[in-house]
Amino acid sequence: MEFKQPELLYALFLLIIPLAVHLFQLRRFQKEDFTNVKFLKKVIRQTRKSSRLKKWLVLTTRMLMLAFLILAFAQPYFPAEDPEAASSEKVVFLDNSYSMQAVGQNGELLAAAIQDLIKSLPENEEISLITHNDEFRNLSAQELTAELQNLGFAENPLNFNTLKLKANQLLKASTKEKDFIFISDFQQILNLDRSINSPTNYHFIPLVPENTQNISIDSMFISNREANEINFQVLLSSSSAYSESISVSVYNGEDLLAKTAVSFQENESAQAGFKINAEEIEDGMIKIEDAALEYDNTLFFSFNKPNPAQVVVITGNIDATFLNRILTPPEFKTEIFEIDQLDFNKLNTADLVILNELESVSGALKTNLANLHSKAVPLVIIPPGNSDLNSYNKFLTQLNAPLYSGLKNKETLITELAFDHPLLAGVFNEKVENFDYPKVQTYYEIQNVNNVISFENNSGFLAEGSGVFLFSAPLNNENSNFRNSPLIVPVFYNVGLSALKSPDLYYETGKDIEIKIPLQTQQDEVVHIVSKTEDFIPQQRSLGDNVEINTNSLKIPSGNYFLEYRGEKQTYLSFNSTRSESELEYNIPEETENIKIHQNIGAYFNELKVASQSHELWKSFVIFALLFLIVEMLLLRFLK
């Protein structure tokens, strides 16, 4: 116990005065004669004992009353446990990741945390606040309340180490005691570092949801695409086994395109398939109904009308116009070049390359074809007749593709079809046995092949490997009647379809994404990424007939957008946040030397207030003084 005015304690010496008065007070007695002296002595003895007890009790209560009164004026108090706690530099982290949409005892975790924080903020102190996507420095309680009321969810959460660095940057210049208050549900993806060793005091406030059952739309992809039909698959996951069926709907804006139901049963994943008749979908959404997290119940996507595949046919002195009649617009843009008139600029932008009976493959051509192969551009090789294929084999070795071997001069029928191969899938309603098989006069054997079409002796006529389609025989009319066969159209058409680039249905927010759009722009003009409520100007550069945009510097919310140039829509884009927040797995920390755990936000600030305040005792001493005064009065009044 300490005193604010200890000099008043000297007044305790004044207690000697009542003590002296009581000890040295003299009383005179008158003598009276009585006949019975024995009886008189007995009465006097009893009176003296009663008087002496009353005198000492009154003396004690009076001195205690004066002592407590003097102590009260000296203002005694117990000092604060941590006097610097209230004045410490504080940084509060409030987790606003999508997992905070989960429901706790007081409703949605983030909304409840905001309300508790607003109620608990100290009025006469400035506090810094950080979230996953915002930073507020040294704000008063009123200013911070306004910011908290407008706080939304973050698309891309940060890990613990990054948040710790941000907090340390804010606390770096302070010479006061430093506190980092961490309010979160502590999902495992935070990667919490338990070995914290720094001068900063860490105060963790866990927010726990009542239910961890959550169903999420994870992703979608195109499984098959035709001229006006799109087949795609939607992948869903559940945080735990779920027995009930879930309805999955596909929308284009407000128009319902398709709907189905999936069941997880004992698995924690499910898949839904859809077939949509549409050339393009500009405002696509996949939706489910789930009472847990809201953000992962919708997946935004857009499907742009595909651009025609650029097909480059390189031929020797052999007619290749039959390919023009198969690979036609609008799906394909086919250009045929003689080998000595080849436009390498066109070649390097091709989506499909066909070598039609070239005598050899030159070094420059090999280099360009190898570069295209590294970009997954399909290559079709139709060999020349009666030629040394050494240059082809060297090139195929470089691509790790099947190789040609000896020439066979024997008429052979083409009889075997791999009906389950993608090039022939859907071509026949059933396996055909009575068929007018085409034939060849000469052919090459192909080593290490995956046959699509085979001869009657099981050697390959059309083989595929490492993204290269190899015919074993020339297709000119002198060597084969394959051009007149019904097989030629589906074979080359499906090869062409494999070259059609499947557009990205959506992109992840917060990622460094480069998107190439077929669009010619002027040097001083820019493209915009636009939605009903947003307008972004991305980093961009013109690359000939294309413009390349980069979204790295943009904070694009999830949703459907379109690329605008000169006030006109050019292409559709969609963005979705990562689904990592959907995994409701938590890692609640334990209290250690550097980490203190608090039950809730209010409890932390109450502990802080108690620790920083001293306990005044003068009121208690005044009360005791009054009590002793009352006791003294009662003694004087009733004690005889």
PDB file of all heavy atoms in Angstrom, residues 84-92 125-128 137-139 167-181 199-201 203 604 608:
ATOM      1  N   GLU A  84       1.993   0.660 -17.155  1.00  0.00           N
ATOM      2  CA  GLU A  84       2.190   1.083 -18.539  1.00  0.00           C
ATOM      3  C   GLU A  84       1.270   0.365 -19.511  1.00  0.00           C
ATOM      4  O   GLU A  84       1.341   0.579 -20.720  1.00  0.00           O
ATOM      5  CB  GLU A  84       3.645   0.833 -18.956  1.00  0.00           C
ATOM      6  CG  GLU A  84       4.649   1.653 -18.160  1.00  0.00           C
ATOM      7  CD  GLU A  84       6.068   1.411 -18.642  1.00  0.00           C
ATOM      8  OE1 GLU A  84       6.229   0.577 -19.560  1.00  0.00           O
ATOM      9  OE2 GLU A  84       6.996   2.042 -18.117  1.00  0.00           O
ATOM     10  N   ALA A  85       0.393  -0.492 -18.997  1.00  0.00           N
ATOM     11  CA  ALA A  85      -0.453  -1.285 -19.890  1.00  0.00           C
ATOM     12  C   ALA A  85      -1.367  -0.408 -20.728  1.00  0.00           C
ATOM     13  O   ALA A  85      -1.536  -0.621 -21.929  1.00  0.00           O
ATOM     14  CB  ALA A  85      -1.270  -2.291 -19.077  1.00  0.00           C
ATOM     15  N   ALA A  86      -1.984   0.584 -20.123  1.00  0.00           N
ATOM     16  CA  ALA A  86      -2.927   1.430 -20.857  1.00  0.00           C
ATOM     17  C   ALA A  86      -2.224   2.298 -21.880  1.00  0.00           C
ATOM     18  O   ALA A  86      -2.789   2.626 -22.920  1.00  0.00           O
ATOM     19  CB  ALA A  86      -3.708   2.298 -19.878  1.00  0.00           C
ATOM     20  N   SER A  87      -1.001   2.698 -21.593  1.00  0.00           N
ATOM     21  CA  SER A  87      -0.287   3.592 -22.498  1.00  0.00           C
ATOM     22  C   SER A  87       0.592   2.846 -23.508  1.00  0.00           C
ATOM     23  O   SER A  87       1.347   3.466 -24.244  1.00  0.00           O
ATOM     24  CB  SER A  87       0.578   4.559 -21.686  1.00  0.00           C
ATOM     25  OG  SER A  87       1.530   3.842 -20.909  1.00  0.00           O
ATOM     26  N   SER A  88       0.514   1.510 -23.545  1.00  0.00           N
ATOM     27  CA  SER A  88       1.339   0.738 -24.482  1.00  0.00           C
ATOM     28  C   SER A  88       0.891   0.977 -25.915  1.00  0.00           C
ATOM     29  O   SER A  88      -0.252   1.334 -26.180  1.00  0.00           O
ATOM     30  CB  SER A  88       1.261  -0.757 -24.155  1.00  0.00           C
ATOM     31  OG  SER A  88      -0.049  -1.227 -24.368  1.00  0.00           O
ATOM     32  N   GLU A  89       1.810   0.793 -26.858  1.00  0.00           N
ATOM     33  CA  GLU A  89       1.489   0.913 -28.282  1.00  0.00           C
ATOM     34  C   GLU A  89       0.791  -0.369 -28.731  1.00  0.00           C
ATOM     35  O   GLU A  89       1.309  -1.460 -28.535  1.00  0.00           O
ATOM     36  CB  GLU A  89       2.771   1.119 -29.084  1.00  0.00           C
ATOM     37  CG  GLU A  89       2.547   1.514 -30.526  1.00  0.00           C
ATOM     38  CD  GLU A  89       2.126   2.964 -30.678  1.00  0.00           C
ATOM     39  OE1 GLU A  89       2.273   3.728 -29.704  1.00  0.00           O
ATOM     40  OE2 GLU A  89       1.654   3.319 -31.762  1.00  0.00           O
ATOM     41  N   LYS A  90      -0.395  -0.206 -29.333  1.00  0.00           N
ATOM     42  CA  LYS A  90      -1.202  -1.387 -29.664  1.00  0.00           C
ATOM     43  C   LYS A  90      -1.469  -1.457 -31.154  1.00  0.00           C
ATOM     44  O   LYS A  90      -1.788  -0.448 -31.793  1.00  0.00           O
ATOM     45  CB  LYS A  90      -2.539  -1.356 -28.910  1.00  0.00           C
ATOM     46  CG  LYS A  90      -2.413  -1.393 -27.405  1.00  0.00           C
ATOM     47  CD  LYS A  90      -3.768  -1.318 -26.746  1.00  0.00           C
ATOM     48  CE  LYS A  90      -3.636  -1.270 -25.233  1.00  0.00           C
ATOM     49  NZ  LYS A  90      -2.933  -0.050 -24.784  1.00  0.00           N
ATOM     50  N   VAL A  91      -1.358  -2.672 -31.697  1.00  0.00           N
ATOM     51  CA  VAL A  91      -1.798  -2.976 -33.065  1.00  0.00           C
ATOM     52  C   VAL A  91      -2.791  -4.125 -32.966  1.00  0.00           C
ATOM     53  O   VAL A  91      -2.479  -5.178 -32.399  1.00  0.00           O
ATOM     54  CB  VAL A  91      -0.627  -3.354 -33.984  1.00  0.00           C
ATOM     55  CG1 VAL A  91      -1.146  -3.857 -35.327  1.00  0.00           C
ATOM     56  CG2 VAL A  91       0.272  -2.160 -34.212  1.00  0.00           C
ATOM     57  N   VAL A  92      -3.980  -3.911 -33.489  1.00  0.00           N
ATOM     58  CA  VAL A  92      -5.023  -4.935 -33.474  1.00  0.00           C
ATOM     59  C   VAL A  92      -5.128  -5.536 -34.875  1.00  0.00           C
ATOM     60  O   VAL A  92      -5.252  -4.803 -35.860  1.00  0.00           O
ATOM     61  CB  VAL A  92      -6.381  -4.343 -33.058  1.00  0.00           C
ATOM     62  CG1 VAL A  92      -7.473  -5.405 -33.123  1.00  0.00           C
ATOM     63  CG2 VAL A  92      -6.294  -3.753 -31.661  1.00  0.00           C
ATOM     64  N   GLU A 125      -7.445   6.832 -26.346  1.00  0.00           N
ATOM     65  CA  GLU A 125      -6.219   6.177 -26.791  1.00  0.00           C
ATOM     66  C   GLU A 125      -6.281   5.923 -28.295  1.00  0.00           C
ATOM     67  O   GLU A 125      -7.347   5.622 -28.838  1.00  0.00           O
ATOM     68  CB  GLU A 125      -6.053   4.855 -26.045  1.00  0.00           C
ATOM     69  CG  GLU A 125      -4.717   4.187 -26.268  1.00  0.00           C
ATOM     70  CD  GLU A 125      -4.585   2.919 -25.436  1.00  0.00           C
ATOM     71  OE1 GLU A 125      -5.426   2.690 -24.548  1.00  0.00           O
ATOM     72  OE2 GLU A 125      -3.646   2.148 -25.707  1.00  0.00           O
ATOM     73  N   GLU A 126      -5.155   6.071 -28.981  1.00  0.00           N
ATOM     74  CA  GLU A 126      -5.076   5.798 -30.411  1.00  0.00           C
ATOM     75  C   GLU A 126      -4.561   4.377 -30.636  1.00  0.00           C
ATOM     76  O   GLU A 126      -3.609   3.943 -29.979  1.00  0.00           O
ATOM     77  CB  GLU A 126      -4.148   6.798 -31.106  1.00  0.00           C
ATOM     78  CG  GLU A 126      -4.718   8.207 -31.158  1.00  0.00           C
ATOM     79  CD  GLU A 126      -3.842   9.144 -31.974  1.00  0.00           C
ATOM     80  OE1 GLU A 126      -2.670   8.795 -32.208  1.00  0.00           O
ATOM     81  OE2 GLU A 126      -4.333  10.211 -32.372  1.00  0.00           O
ATOM     82  N   ILE A 127      -5.206   3.680 -31.551  1.00  0.00           N
ATOM     83  CA  ILE A 127      -4.873   2.281 -31.824  1.00  0.00           C
ATOM     84  C   ILE A 127      -4.737   2.103 -33.330  1.00  0.00           C
ATOM     85  O   ILE A 127      -5.478   2.708 -34.117  1.00  0.00           O
ATOM     86  CB  ILE A 127      -5.959   1.331 -31.267  1.00  0.00           C
ATOM     87  CG1 ILE A 127      -5.972   1.398 -29.738  1.00  0.00           C
ATOM     88  CG2 ILE A 127      -5.740  -0.106 -31.727  1.00  0.00           C
ATOM     89  CD1 ILE A 127      -7.018   0.513 -29.096  1.00  0.00           C
ATOM     90  N   SER A 128      -3.806   1.253 -33.748  1.00  0.00           N
ATOM     91  CA  SER A 128      -3.659   0.886 -35.161  1.00  0.00           C
ATOM     92  C   SER A 128      -4.355  -0.447 -35.402  1.00  0.00           C
ATOM     93  O   SER A 128      -4.312  -1.346 -34.559  1.00  0.00           O
ATOM     94  CB  SER A 128      -2.182   0.775 -35.542  1.00  0.00           C
ATOM     95  OG  SER A 128      -1.533   2.025 -35.403  1.00  0.00           O
ATOM     96  N   ARG A 137      -3.682   3.425 -39.356  1.00  0.00           N
ATOM     97  CA  ARG A 137      -2.656   3.809 -38.391  1.00  0.00           C
ATOM     98  C   ARG A 137      -3.180   4.834 -37.385  1.00  0.00           C
ATOM     99  O   ARG A 137      -3.767   5.849 -37.772  1.00  0.00           O
ATOM    100  CB  ARG A 137      -1.444   4.417 -39.115  1.00  0.00           C
ATOM    101  CG  ARG A 137      -0.644   3.434 -39.950  1.00  0.00           C
ATOM    102  CD  ARG A 137       0.406   4.171 -40.747  1.00  0.00           C
ATOM    103  NE  ARG A 137       1.233   3.259 -41.527  1.00  0.00           N
ATOM    104  CZ  ARG A 137       2.440   2.850 -41.149  1.00  0.00           C
ATOM    105  NH1 ARG A 137       2.945   3.266 -40.015  1.00  0.00           N
ATOM    106  NH2 ARG A 137       3.130   2.028 -41.918  1.00  0.00           N
ATOM    107  N   ASN A 138      -2.947   4.559 -36.118  1.00  0.00           N
ATOM    108  CA  ASN A 138      -3.143   5.522 -35.030  1.00  0.00           C
ATOM    109  C   ASN A 138      -4.471   6.265 -35.132  1.00  0.00           C
ATOM    110  O   ASN A 138      -4.519   7.481 -35.304  1.00  0.00           O
ATOM    111  CB  ASN A 138      -1.983   6.529 -35.004  1.00  0.00           C
ATOM    112  CG  ASN A 138      -0.639   5.857 -34.808  1.00  0.00           C
ATOM    113  OD1 ASN A 138      -0.536   4.836 -34.127  1.00  0.00           O
ATOM    114  ND2 ASN A 138       0.397   6.416 -35.408  1.00  0.00           N
ATOM    115  N   LEU A 139      -5.553   5.531 -35.020  1.00  0.00           N
ATOM    116  CA  LEU A 139      -6.884   6.118 -35.081  1.00  0.00           C
ATOM    117  C   LEU A 139      -7.508   6.151 -33.691  1.00  0.00           C
ATOM    118  O   LEU A 139      -7.261   5.280 -32.853  1.00  0.00           O
ATOM    119  CB  LEU A 139      -7.786   5.332 -36.026  1.00  0.00           C
ATOM    120  CG  LEU A 139      -7.357   5.250 -37.496  1.00  0.00           C
ATOM    121  CD1 LEU A 139      -8.419   4.525 -38.305  1.00  0.00           C
ATOM    122  CD2 LEU A 139      -7.085   6.617 -38.083  1.00  0.00           C
ATOM    123  N   ALA A 167       2.644  -5.855 -38.539  1.00  0.00           N
ATOM    124  CA  ALA A 167       2.478  -5.309 -37.190  1.00  0.00           C
ATOM    125  C   ALA A 167       3.790  -4.727 -36.675  1.00  0.00           C
ATOM    126  O   ALA A 167       3.812  -3.645 -36.072  1.00  0.00           O
ATOM    127  CB  ALA A 167       1.959  -6.393 -36.257  1.00  0.00           C
ATOM    128  N   ASN A 168       4.881  -5.424 -36.902  1.00  0.00           N
ATOM    129  CA  ASN A 168       6.184  -4.939 -36.446  1.00  0.00           C
ATOM    130  C   ASN A 168       6.567  -3.633 -37.125  1.00  0.00           C
ATOM    131  O   ASN A 168       7.238  -2.782 -36.529  1.00  0.00           O
ATOM    132  CB  ASN A 168       7.259  -5.995 -36.685  1.00  0.00           C
ATOM    133  CG  ASN A 168       7.121  -7.181 -35.748  1.00  0.00           C
ATOM    134  OD1 ASN A 168       6.534  -7.056 -34.676  1.00  0.00           O
ATOM    135  ND2 ASN A 168       7.647  -8.323 -36.147  1.00  0.00           N
ATOM    136  N   GLN A 169       6.157  -3.460 -38.384  1.00  0.00           N
ATOM    137  CA  GLN A 169       6.421  -2.200 -39.076  1.00  0.00           C
ATOM    138  C   GLN A 169       5.686  -1.045 -38.392  1.00  0.00           C
ATOM    139  O   GLN A 169       6.222   0.057 -38.265  1.00  0.00           O
ATOM    140  CB  GLN A 169       5.976  -2.303 -40.542  1.00  0.00           C
ATOM    141  CG  GLN A 169       6.885  -3.147 -41.418  1.00  0.00           C
ATOM    142  CD  GLN A 169       8.273  -2.528 -41.573  1.00  0.00           C
ATOM    143  OE1 GLN A 169       8.418  -1.315 -41.648  1.00  0.00           O
ATOM    144  NE2 GLN A 169       9.294  -3.362 -41.623  1.00  0.00           N
ATOM    145  N   LEU A 170       4.469  -1.300 -37.956  1.00  0.00           N
ATOM    146  CA  LEU A 170       3.707  -0.256 -37.272  1.00  0.00           C
ATOM    147  C   LEU A 170       4.257   0.041 -35.880  1.00  0.00           C
ATOM    148  O   LEU A 170       4.161   1.164 -35.391  1.00  0.00           O
ATOM    149  CB  LEU A 170       2.237  -0.669 -37.167  1.00  0.00           C
ATOM    150  CG  LEU A 170       1.459  -0.753 -38.495  1.00  0.00           C
ATOM    151  CD1 LEU A 170       0.064  -1.308 -38.253  1.00  0.00           C
ATOM    152  CD2 LEU A 170       1.366   0.612 -39.141  1.00  0.00           C
ATOM    153  N   LEU A 171       4.809  -0.974 -35.236  1.00  0.00           N
ATOM    154  CA  LEU A 171       5.316  -0.816 -33.868  1.00  0.00           C
ATOM    155  C   LEU A 171       6.780  -0.417 -33.819  1.00  0.00           C
ATOM    156  O   LEU A 171       7.311  -0.149 -32.732  1.00  0.00           O
ATOM    157  CB  LEU A 171       5.135  -2.130 -33.093  1.00  0.00           C
ATOM    158  CG  LEU A 171       3.693  -2.596 -32.867  1.00  0.00           C
ATOM    159  CD1 LEU A 171       3.687  -4.022 -32.353  1.00  0.00           C
ATOM    160  CD2 LEU A 171       2.975  -1.672 -31.892  1.00  0.00           C
ATOM    161  N   LYS A 172       7.420  -0.351 -34.963  1.00  0.00           N
ATOM    162  CA  LYS A 172       8.868  -0.196 -35.027  1.00  0.00           C
ATOM    163  C   LYS A 172       9.348   1.088 -34.360  1.00  0.00           C
ATOM    164  O   LYS A 172      10.333   1.097 -33.630  1.00  0.00           O
ATOM    165  CB  LYS A 172       9.312  -0.223 -36.497  1.00  0.00           C
ATOM    166  CG  LYS A 172      10.808  -0.278 -36.694  1.00  0.00           C
ATOM    167  CD  LYS A 172      11.137  -0.434 -38.173  1.00  0.00           C
ATOM    168  CE  LYS A 172      12.637  -0.525 -38.394  1.00  0.00           C
ATOM    169  NZ  LYS A 172      12.954  -0.662 -39.831  1.00  0.00           N
ATOM    170  N   ALA A 173       8.658   2.193 -34.609  1.00  0.00           N
ATOM    171  CA  ALA A 173       9.127   3.490 -34.121  1.00  0.00           C
ATOM    172  C   ALA A 173       8.774   3.750 -32.660  1.00  0.00           C
ATOM    173  O   ALA A 173       9.218   4.736 -32.076  1.00  0.00           O
ATOM    174  CB  ALA A 173       8.554   4.604 -34.996  1.00  0.00           C
ATOM    175  N   SER A 174       7.998   2.907 -32.056  1.00  0.00           N
ATOM    176  CA  SER A 174       7.528   3.163 -30.697  1.00  0.00           C
ATOM    177  C   SER A 174       8.570   2.747 -29.657  1.00  0.00           C
ATOM    178  O   SER A 174       9.236   1.725 -29.791  1.00  0.00           O
ATOM    179  CB  SER A 174       6.225   2.400 -30.454  1.00  0.00           C
ATOM    180  OG  SER A 174       5.810   2.558 -29.117  1.00  0.00           O
ATOM    181  N   THR A 175       8.688   3.591 -28.616  1.00  0.00           N
ATOM    182  CA  THR A 175       9.574   3.253 -27.487  1.00  0.00           C
ATOM    183  C   THR A 175       8.779   2.718 -26.305  1.00  0.00           C
ATOM    184  O   THR A 175       9.349   2.351 -25.283  1.00  0.00           O
ATOM    185  CB  THR A 175      10.354   4.505 -27.050  1.00  0.00           C
ATOM    186  OG1 THR A 175       9.419   5.540 -26.720  1.00  0.00           O
ATOM    187  CG2 THR A 175      11.262   4.990 -28.175  1.00  0.00           C
ATOM    188  N   LYS A 176       7.454   2.696 -26.425  1.00  0.00           N
ATOM    189  CA  LYS A 176       6.602   2.191 -25.356  1.00  0.00           C
ATOM    190  C   LYS A 176       6.534   0.667 -25.396  1.00  0.00           C
ATOM    191  O   LYS A 176       7.076   0.024 -26.286  1.00  0.00           O
ATOM    192  CB  LYS A 176       5.185   2.766 -25.504  1.00  0.00           C
ATOM    193  CG  LYS A 176       5.105   4.279 -25.512  1.00  0.00           C
ATOM    194  CD  LYS A 176       3.669   4.715 -25.719  1.00  0.00           C
ATOM    195  CE  LYS A 176       3.537   6.230 -25.782  1.00  0.00           C
ATOM    196  NZ  LYS A 176       2.142   6.649 -26.035  1.00  0.00           N
ATOM    197  N   GLU A 177       5.841   0.130 -24.414  1.00  0.00           N
ATOM    198  CA  GLU A 177       5.555  -1.300 -24.430  1.00  0.00           C
ATOM    199  C   GLU A 177       4.662  -1.614 -25.628  1.00  0.00           C
ATOM    200  O   GLU A 177       3.767  -0.841 -25.977  1.00  0.00           O
ATOM    201  CB  GLU A 177       4.866  -1.701 -23.130  1.00  0.00           C
ATOM    202  CG  GLU A 177       4.702  -3.209 -22.971  1.00  0.00           C
ATOM    203  CD  GLU A 177       4.151  -3.583 -21.608  1.00  0.00           C
ATOM    204  OE1 GLU A 177       4.094  -2.694 -20.738  1.00  0.00           O
ATOM    205  OE2 GLU A 177       3.787  -4.748 -21.430  1.00  0.00           O
ATOM    206  N   LYS A 178       4.902  -2.747 -26.306  1.00  0.00           N
ATOM    207  CA  LYS A 178       4.227  -3.052 -27.565  1.00  0.00           C
ATOM    208  C   LYS A 178       3.319  -4.269 -27.400  1.00  0.00           C
ATOM    209  O   LYS A 178       3.748  -5.307 -26.907  1.00  0.00           O
ATOM    210  CB  LYS A 178       5.254  -3.329 -28.665  1.00  0.00           C
ATOM    211  CG  LYS A 178       6.229  -2.176 -28.880  1.00  0.00           C
ATOM    212  CD  LYS A 178       7.363  -2.557 -29.821  1.00  0.00           C
ATOM    213  CE  LYS A 178       8.379  -1.427 -29.929  1.00  0.00           C
ATOM    214  NZ  LYS A 178       9.505  -1.791 -30.819  1.00  0.00           N
ATOM    215  N   ASP A 179       2.062  -4.113 -27.848  1.00  0.00           N
ATOM    216  CA  ASP A 179       1.079  -5.195 -27.776  1.00  0.00           C
ATOM    217  C   ASP A 179       0.516  -5.467 -29.170  1.00  0.00           C
ATOM    218  O   ASP A 179       0.111  -4.532 -29.876  1.00  0.00           O
ATOM    219  CB  ASP A 179      -0.069  -4.820 -26.833  1.00  0.00           C
ATOM    220  CG  ASP A 179       0.360  -4.797 -25.376  1.00  0.00           C
ATOM    221  OD1 ASP A 179       1.361  -5.449 -25.055  1.00  0.00           O
ATOM    222  OD2 ASP A 179      -0.290  -4.105 -24.574  1.00  0.00           O
ATOM    223  N   PHE A 180       0.476  -6.732 -29.540  1.00  0.00           N
ATOM    224  CA  PHE A 180      -0.139  -7.149 -30.805  1.00  0.00           C
ATOM    225  C   PHE A 180      -1.341  -8.012 -30.458  1.00  0.00           C
ATOM    226  O   PHE A 180      -1.206  -9.122 -29.944  1.00  0.00           O
ATOM    227  CB  PHE A 180       0.875  -7.924 -31.656  1.00  0.00           C
ATOM    228  CG  PHE A 180       0.367  -8.305 -33.020  1.00  0.00           C
ATOM    229  CD1 PHE A 180      -0.669  -7.606 -33.627  1.00  0.00           C
ATOM    230  CD2 PHE A 180       0.929  -9.371 -33.706  1.00  0.00           C
ATOM    231  CE1 PHE A 180      -1.133  -7.966 -34.879  1.00  0.00           C
ATOM    232  CE2 PHE A 180       0.477  -9.730 -34.967  1.00  0.00           C
ATOM    233  CZ  PHE A 180      -0.565  -9.029 -35.550  1.00  0.00           C
ATOM    234  N   ILE A 181      -2.543  -7.484 -30.712  1.00  0.00           N
ATOM    235  CA  ILE A 181      -3.791  -8.185 -30.384  1.00  0.00           C
ATOM    236  C   ILE A 181      -4.280  -8.878 -31.650  1.00  0.00           C
ATOM    237  O   ILE A 181      -4.579  -8.208 -32.651  1.00  0.00           O
ATOM    238  CB  ILE A 181      -4.853  -7.222 -29.836  1.00  0.00           C
ATOM    239  CG1 ILE A 181      -4.321  -6.502 -28.589  1.00  0.00           C
ATOM    240  CG2 ILE A 181      -6.135  -7.955 -29.518  1.00  0.00           C
ATOM    241  CD1 ILE A 181      -3.743  -5.138 -28.839  1.00  0.00           C
ATOM    242  N   PRO A 199      10.211  -8.804 -28.442  1.00  0.00           N
ATOM    243  CA  PRO A 199       9.815  -7.934 -27.317  1.00  0.00           C
ATOM    244  C   PRO A 199       8.340  -7.560 -27.335  1.00  0.00           C
ATOM    245  O   PRO A 199       7.835  -6.990 -26.373  1.00  0.00           O
ATOM    246  CB  PRO A 199      10.695  -6.681 -27.524  1.00  0.00           C
ATOM    247  CG  PRO A 199      11.035  -6.697 -28.979  1.00  0.00           C
ATOM    248  CD  PRO A 199      11.139  -8.141 -29.359  1.00  0.00           C
ATOM    249  N   THR A 200       7.642  -7.884 -28.392  1.00  0.00           N
ATOM    250  CA  THR A 200       6.223  -7.562 -28.496  1.00  0.00           C
ATOM    251  C   THR A 200       5.394  -8.564 -27.691  1.00  0.00           C
ATOM    252  O   THR A 200       5.673  -9.764 -27.700  1.00  0.00           O
ATOM    253  CB  THR A 200       5.772  -7.589 -29.970  1.00  0.00           C
ATOM    254  OG1 THR A 200       6.559  -6.665 -30.714  1.00  0.00           O
ATOM    255  CG2 THR A 200       4.318  -7.212 -30.099  1.00  0.00           C
ATOM    256  N   ASN A 201       4.386  -8.066 -26.993  1.00  0.00           N
ATOM    257  CA  ASN A 201       3.456  -8.926 -26.261  1.00  0.00           C
ATOM    258  C   ASN A 201       2.349  -9.371 -27.201  1.00  0.00           C
ATOM    259  O   ASN A 201       1.683  -8.532 -27.829  1.00  0.00           O
ATOM    260  CB  ASN A 201       2.853  -8.171 -25.071  1.00  0.00           C
ATOM    261  CG  ASN A 201       3.907  -7.662 -24.111  1.00  0.00           C
ATOM    262  OD1 ASN A 201       4.839  -8.370 -23.773  1.00  0.00           O
ATOM    263  ND2 ASN A 201       3.754  -6.428 -23.661  1.00  0.00           N
ATOM    264  N   HIS A 203      -1.274 -11.097 -27.798  1.00  0.00           N
ATOM    265  CA  HIS A 203      -2.545 -11.412 -27.145  1.00  0.00           C
ATOM    266  C   HIS A 203      -3.466 -12.027 -28.198  1.00  0.00           C
ATOM    267  O   HIS A 203      -3.889 -11.341 -29.138  1.00  0.00           O
ATOM    268  CB  HIS A 203      -3.165 -10.149 -26.552  1.00  0.00           C
ATOM    269  CG  HIS A 203      -2.287  -9.455 -25.556  1.00  0.00           C
ATOM    270  ND1 HIS A 203      -2.304  -9.759 -24.211  1.00  0.00           N
ATOM    271  CD2 HIS A 203      -1.341  -8.494 -25.705  1.00  0.00           C
ATOM    272  CE1 HIS A 203      -1.425  -9.007 -23.578  1.00  0.00           C
ATOM    273  NE2 HIS A 203      -0.825  -8.226 -24.462  1.00  0.00           N
ATOM    274  N   TYR A 604     -10.150  -8.990 -22.798  1.00  0.00           N
ATOM    275  CA  TYR A 604      -8.794  -8.433 -22.936  1.00  0.00           C
ATOM    276  C   TYR A 604      -8.762  -6.983 -22.479  1.00  0.00           C
ATOM    277  O   TYR A 604      -7.894  -6.590 -21.687  1.00  0.00           O
ATOM    278  CB  TYR A 604      -8.316  -8.538 -24.377  1.00  0.00           C
ATOM    279  CG  TYR A 604      -7.136  -7.649 -24.661  1.00  0.00           C
ATOM    280  CD1 TYR A 604      -5.869  -7.946 -24.161  1.00  0.00           C
ATOM    281  CD2 TYR A 604      -7.289  -6.459 -25.377  1.00  0.00           C
ATOM    282  CE1 TYR A 604      -4.790  -7.109 -24.393  1.00  0.00           C
ATOM    283  CE2 TYR A 604      -6.220  -5.624 -25.618  1.00  0.00           C
ATOM    284  CZ  TYR A 604      -4.967  -5.947 -25.120  1.00  0.00           C
ATOM    285  OH  TYR A 604      -3.904  -5.112 -25.339  1.00  0.00           O
ATOM    286  N   LEU A 608      -6.866  -5.277 -19.287  1.00  0.00           N
ATOM    287  CA  LEU A 608      -5.937  -4.172 -19.532  1.00  0.00           C
ATOM    288  C   LEU A 608      -6.271  -2.991 -18.630  1.00  0.00           C
ATOM    289  O   LEU A 608      -5.385  -2.362 -18.024  1.00  0.00           O
ATOM    290  CB  LEU A 608      -6.025  -3.754 -21.004  1.00  0.00           C
ATOM    291  CG  LEU A 608      -5.001  -2.739 -21.497  1.00  0.00           C
ATOM    292  CD1 LEU A 608      -3.632  -3.378 -21.564  1.00  0.00           C
ATOM    293  CD2 LEU A 608      -5.401  -2.211 -22.870  1.00  0.00           C
TER     294      LEU A 608
END
